[in-house]
Amino acid sequence: MQAATDISQLKGIMPSVEIDTGALPYLFISMALLILSIMTLWWYAHHRKKRPRTPQSQALHRLKALDLQTTLSQKTHSQETLYRFSIDVHCYLDGREDTLFDEIQEALLPYKYQADAPLPDTATIQKIDDFIKGLT
């Protein structure tokens, strides 16, 4: 009997605490959604494509994305592609001299300024490809 009175005396000193477990699943779900949203924002911030900022880097990005083999095989877009190449390289060089580009420009003259110009020869296309690959 003595032990029963000791326990009742302890309960009188410190009342028993009841924990409401009805809100506990909602707490876990909200914490999981918060963690998931933070991880998604972090991943998006670190893995999104970096867009070029300067006109020179934008021109370099367009030059690297240029697919000459496919585009020049379509006669309707060949002159547009050659013009775009020239404009982007001029923007990329930003007034600097480049003898290889000058040679390419000379080789492209017969193909750019005529209404029914033939397609550039494979040597010229290869020279343009090599020039683009050499850009940094």
Side-chain angles (χ1 to χ4, degrees):
M1 277 292 249
Q2 183 67 11
T5 57
D6 290 338
I7 293 174
S8 65
Q9 287 175 353
L10 288 177
K11 284 186 178 177
I13 294 173
M14 186 171 198
S16 59
V17 178
E18 293 183 23
I19 298 174
D20 181 26
T21 59
L24 198 58
Y26 297 114
L27 178 66
F28 282 129
I29 290 172
S30 62
M31 290 298 286
L33 287 175
L34 179 66
I35 291 172
L36 184 66
S37 63
I38 290 172
M39 288 175 57
T40 303
L41 289 173
W42 177 82
W43 182 85
Y44 179 73
H46 290 324
H47 291 95
R48 66 180 179 182
K49 285 188 172 180
K50 303 287 185 207
R51 295 217 164 106
R53 303 277 186 226
T54 64
Q56 291 78 20
S57 60
Q58 290 175 349
L60 178 63
H61 180 71
R62 285 190 301 267
L63 285 168
K64 295 284 185 179
L66 192 61
D67 185 15
L68 291 174
Q69 303 295 335
T70 305
T71 310
L72 292 179
S73 66
Q74 304 167 356
K75 187 154 175 77
T76 56
H77 299 293
S78 63
Q79 286 184 339
E80 292 175 26
T81 303
L82 296 176
Y83 286 126
R84 188 78 246 162
F85 166 76
S86 298
I87 290 169
D88 286 339
V89 172
H90 276 292
C91 180
Y92 173 75
L93 291 177
D94 195 29
R96 293 175 285 154
E97 294 292 324
D98 192 329
T99 56
L100 182 58
F101 177 64
D102 293 337
E103 291 174 14
I104 292 172
Q105 285 292 86
E106 288 292 322
L108 291 179
L109 282 176
Y111 306 108
K112 290 194 330 189
Y113 301 107
Q114 298 177 10
D116 294 323
L119 294 175
D121 57 344
T122 56
T124 305
I125 294 172
Q126 187 61 40
K127 195 182 275 191
I128 294 171
D129 276 339
D130 293 341
F131 178 78
I132 292 173
K133 289 176 185 172
L135 298 177
T136 57

